[in-house]
Structure formats: structure tokens, C-alpha cells
Amino acid sequence: MIAVENVSKTYSGQTALAPTTLALAPGRTTVLIGPSGCGKSTLLRLLIGLISPDSGTVTVGGEILTPQTVEKRRHEIGYVIQDGGLFPHLTAAQNVALLARFLGRSESGVQERITELSSLVQLPADALSRYPNNLSGGQRQRVGLMRALMLDPPLLLLDEPLGALDPITRSELQSQLKDIFARLEKTVVLVTHDMGEAAYFGDTIVLMRAGKIVQTGTLEDLLQRPAEKYVTDFIRAQRSPLPPMPEAASEERN
Amino acid sequence: MTKALAVLLLLLPSALYAQTLTVGSKRFAESRILGEIVTQTTTAVGEAHADHKSGLGNTGIVFAALQSGSIDVYPEYTGTITQELLKTKETLDLPAMNNRLAALGLAAGVPLGFNDTYALAMRDDQAQKLGIRTLSDLAKHPELKLGLSQEFLKRADGWPGVKAAYSLPFESPQGLDHGLAYEAIAGGQIEVTDIYSTDSKIAKYKLRVLTDDKHYFPAYDAVLLYRKDVPTRLPRTWAALQKLSGRITALQMIALNARVELQGMTPPVVAAGFLSGKTAPTEAAYPPGFWATLFAKDFWPETRQHLFLVFVSLALSILVAVPLGIWAARTPAAAQPILSITGLIQTIPSLALLAFLIPLLHRIGPLPAIVALFLYSLLPIVRNTYTGLTDISPSLRESALALGLPPLARLRLIELPLAARAIFAGIKTAAVINVGTATIAAFIGAGGYGNRISQGLENNNDLLLLSGAIPAAALALLVQWGFDLLDKAVVPKGLR
């Protein structure tokens, strides 16, 4: 239902994405991973038409994305960025309801959906009436997710959604997100640079480097059948075992 | 019924009359007093409603107002009519003058009885020491510092003419406001200045009037310059005005001027005293104190005029500047020209802009003032709208785009609210600046607190000047506070 064919993007002579072809499995989670500047965010932004490709086509719901169709298509795509991207002049609830209200959806339906979504993402009820500046990082991300899910789009794109969170909130949200993705059966594309996160979420992992896809496959594929040495290097580099924990008693003494 | 009619008549005094006579005067005490005498004489006849646009401007502005029909009559001087208005070097008598004025649809008449000629004067003690009695003597002292009024410097019958006639060796005399010349000469910053022969301050400042030994300065007999239709349109009024002929001697005029310039009385009071035949001022006519000057009966009308100028121009400016700012923020190619042009407007001195707008709009009064204030308000609002919109972080811009909102909805629901604080700050800046700049509008007859400031400046009356400057400053503070309160209503809660 969503695919790119031979898309490429160049910024002032620098290749951000070499001609790339990729089809996404419906109802599954695909993770785009790779080091900074590998083209994973460029690919995601092409999918929602925030940038247009120099060549090739992006197909969403069986239709090629054009500047004329992109605006309507976006109603079928939920988009979440780091830190939520919430509008500071609107409360959490107003942020979530903005598009639905603009499209003239019934107010009772809007309220019902907000209640439904806040229990889905486990947002405390009092947070709904607060402005983004008065929410915690984790709450902002939950509200951002609610806003993306408001119209129940079949496709969900997430650009490093957990990048700005502290480790505890991050791992808590990771397990909730995985649960939500599984329950809603959305087609999800998630961008991250964290191998652990990719392994945790990805039905399919797409490893990228320097504007090209290096390998597409399951975690198993990547570990057992690396397409090239870089795959193994990338996975190894990300596995940084923690140093042994100091004993609690010795810490007390200092 | 009768009650309602009475209320109506009270509210609309001008509606009582089918006709209106609009009187003009120049920006100095003598012209204002004479204009007031004409006005009060007209009112006493009861044939027409008389409206005095007191201190409308310098000769050029008042004459333009007469030609365009904005005013019907104003006091003028024969020498000025021939040399400045008809631009001839010949000496014309009244009938010859009227021959030429007829082509302009104008006429001069009713010689009031005195000659107010130009003259040069210096401190009597200094003149004595240097042995200067005449303008010819002045030519022998090129070391003297001249300070001349701006109008005298520029007039054909003023400095250029007298300099040529006497071969005066002064290259670039300093120009200054006539109202400041006396203090400047008393303080020694200047040593020679131009005066009028009916000037009330000659004696006060111990000045010596230098004799015009070559008879350069023509006669400046005070007359009324009017539109030709006035005598036929208002015959009874005209008959009464003609009786003013020969009524005012030079000595009387000096005394009338002194009441305004030295005793701080207002031209209407002085004119009323003259018309009622009382030579000594009545008790009530003595100069009022500060509070009485501040809250004189023109206080609320002038406050209204001032607020009208400030807020009408501001409202127009918001309507134009916010869209311009949006355009600049959306179209990088348009940003530079828009910001440069609005910035350029800001650099035009306000008096120059007003002088430029009068011929362009063919009128004086509030309209050119509002246009000028409107133009000055553009920059702060355009720039703040532009900055407010371009400062929105790219991630928020993209979030709005990714939601699938069309451009106008993004502007209305996201971008303008996010820029609201900056836009509002620009509007506030424009409003506060407008309160100050609007005082200049009095120079072209638009009213407001500037009336008091300009009259105070002309008549060397600090009390009057302060009674305009202080409420203008207070109004600026009030406007600032008012906007601070509004800020809470306009700026979205989440941004505070």
C-alpha cells in the first residue's frame, strides 16, 4: 500500500538519497536505521511529501503522490516527530482535535475519540487541558501520538519519536508503543539510530548508509546473513555492554 | 418635540445656518487675532456659521487652502500678496492687485489700518556700541551673527531681496523658529534677526529696529484676502466685515499682540476684548494658571482629535501592514523590497512628508495627517509581522504541513497565533510613536495636542507648550498600558 520506486534526492549537489526502491509491508512495522546523514529521515519525509523527489515515484494507497494530491493524502498518514511537534498556543486536547475540527467533524465524536486515545496512550486526564510547555517530555510525545492517530489513519510515520526522552520514560514508552502498533494493525514506519530500538520494533529493518539501502530484512537476517561486513560492524558498534556496576556498599563509604 | 429640536440645535450649531464662512490664519499671534476678529464679527451678524482654522500654517499652506476653497478668507499683507503670491516686483495698489487676483477667483480688500512691515533688529546696547542705525550700516559688520526665521529666509521679499538691495555680506544666516529668535538674541546666540514692525517684543527685549534707508521693504498693509464669492454669498456678513476697515492702528495692533505674546491671553479673548471696545483686559482674561491651561475648554476636543488621528491611522496601518508582513514572510523575493520601502518611509522627516502630502491630496487638516501617521506606522507592524512569522521553528511549520492543513488554514490556525505576540508588539510600538508624531499634525490644521505645543512655541508661552506636551506624554503612557492589558487577551495563553 505504500512504496517508493527509484526515488532520489539531492541537496545542493550532495546526494541525500540515491535512487531507492522499497515496498512496505501493510500492517507491519518497518524501521529505517543508520548513522546520521544516511538518508533515513529524507526517505521518511518523502513518504509524507514534506519534500518532493528529484526522480522516481512515491505511491501511497495505490496512488502516486503529487503536489496536488499530497494534502488530502496526509489525512491518511499520522506523523510524529521528536518531542511531539505540538503547537505551543494550543492545549493538548486542542492540538489533538485541531485537524478534526478544521474538517468539521462532530464535536461529540471529537470528544469521544480524545477520551479513547488518551486511554490508549495512557495520558492522565488533567494533562489534556494543559499547554505543551506544562507537559513532561513523555506526555508531549503521547499527545503527539494522539494527534497523529486522531483520524485513525492506516499509516503511521515516526521520526525518532523517543529521541528526546530520558532512559526510563523511553523504555516505558517503547513497550507501550509496541503494544499500540500491534493492537491497531497500522502500517508503521519508524526512524531511529538506535539498534536496540530497531530490534525491538522492527518486523522489517532497513539499514541504510550514505543515501543507500544496505540491507532489508528481519533482525535474524541481519545477524545471520549480513549483506556485507558493514551490517555486522554497525550492529556490533551499537552493542555497548555496560561496565560492571559498582557495589552499593562501596559507594556509601565515599 | 420642542425639546428634541432644542437638543438637535445644541448638538449641531452649524446646522442652524445654511452657510458657513471658514476663516484661516497663519501661525503667529497677529494673524490668529485678526482671524478671530473676522470670525467673531461674522458670528455676531448671524448670517452664517463661522469656523476659524486658527494657525493653519505658513503663507504657502494658508494660500493653498484659500485657493482650494478649504477656507474663504484670511488676513494677509499687501506686500506678501504682490511679491509672494502674485510674484511681481512692481508696487501695486489695491485695484491693480485685484485685477490680477480676479484671475485666481480671489480678491483683497478691507485695509484694516496698519502696516506690518518686515524689519531687521538687534540688541539696542550692541547697536549703540557698534554705531548701527540703518540697514546700510549693517553691511559694514560682516562679523555679526544673523538668525532669521525660516519663512523670511525663503521669501522673495525677505532675505534674498534685502541681501541684494544692501549688498549684505552674510553668506549663510542661521535659520530658526521665529518664536525662539527673541530668547536667542537675548542670550547672545544670534545678534540680528527679522521682526515685524507690530511686534510686541521689541520693547520687552530692548531691541533696535534698523531703518530701511533704501526703502527696500514694501508696504505690508493688513487686508483681508478672500474668495470672490464671499461678498455676494454673505452680503450682510460682508457689510459688517467692511466696517473693520481702518479700525486697527499699528499701536493698537502692538497692544493686541502683547496681550497674547506677553500676557499669555488667548487670541479669542483678545479679539473679543477688541470688538467690545474694552482696551484693558477684564479680570477673567488674565492668564490662567497651569491647571486651567491644561484643562481649558478645548482639552477634550483636542484629546478626541488626537485619539482620532492616532487610532484611525493605526487601524488603516494594521489592515495594510499585516498582509504586507505575511507577503514578505511567504515570498522571499518580496521581503527585501517591502522591508526597504517601509524603512525608507520612516526616514522622511515628518514635516517634509506633510508638506509633500498637502499638494498631493489637495487638502489640509486630518486627511494628510492620517496618511502620514499611517505611513509611519507601517514599518513596526510590517517588520514585526515578518519577524514573528519567520521565527516560527521549522519543526512546527512541518508539523502543520504534515497534518494536511491547507495554506490559509495553517496561516490562520497556526502561524498567525504563533506570531501574535510579535505582531501585537509592533502594533503597540506604532501606537505609542503615533501619539508623539500626531503632535506635528497641528502644523497643518489637523488639531490635537499639537495645537497647544505649536501655539506655545510661537508665542513663547511655556505654560501653553507644556499643557500640550504633558497630556501627549501621558497619553503615550496610557496607550502603552492599554496595550499591555490587551496583550493578555490577544496573545495565546500557551505562549505567555
Side-chain angles (χ1 to χ4, degrees), chain A residues 45 48 50 71 74-75 77 79 81 84-90 98-99 102 131 133 147, chain B residues 395-396 398-407 409 412-414 417-418 492-495:
Chain A
R45 289 149 62 83
I48 192 169
L50 289 176
E71 209 166 274
R74 285 179 182 141
H75 298 168
I77 306 172
Y79 184 63
I81 60 171
L86 301 180
F87 304 120
H89 64 295
L90 301 175
L98 182 70
L99 182 62
F102 172 74
Y131 287 96
N133 283 342
R147 189 172 71 184
Chain B
S395 73
L396 287 183
E398 280 199 348
S399 290
L401 204 62
L403 269 182
L405 287 170
R412 180 170 59 87
L413 297 170
I414 313 288
L418 287 178
K493 226 170 147 191
L495 298 181

Side-chain angles (χ1 to χ4, degrees), chain B residues 398-483:
Chain B
E398 280 199 348
S399 290
L401 204 62
L403 269 182
L405 287 170
L408 269 181
R410 289 204 299 274
L411 187 66
R412 180 170 59 87
L413 297 170
I414 313 288
E415 293 170 13
L416 283 180
L418 287 178
R421 166 159 264 183
I423 296 173
F424 197 71
I427 293 172
K428 181 160 75 176
T429 307
V432 173
I433 292 176
N434 259 3
V435 171
T437 314
T439 55
I440 305 279
F443 286 81
I444 56 163
Y449 293 139
N451 269 349
R452 294 155 171 229
I453 295 174
S454 66
Q455 282 171 36
L457 206 60
E458 282 161 38
N459 299 330
N460 235 353
N461 184 338
D462 293 342
L463 207 62
L464 195 57
L465 197 150
L466 284 176
S467 78
I470 289 172
L475 188 61
L477 283 177
L478 271 177
V479 165
Q480 170 116 27
W481 288 333
F483 272 94

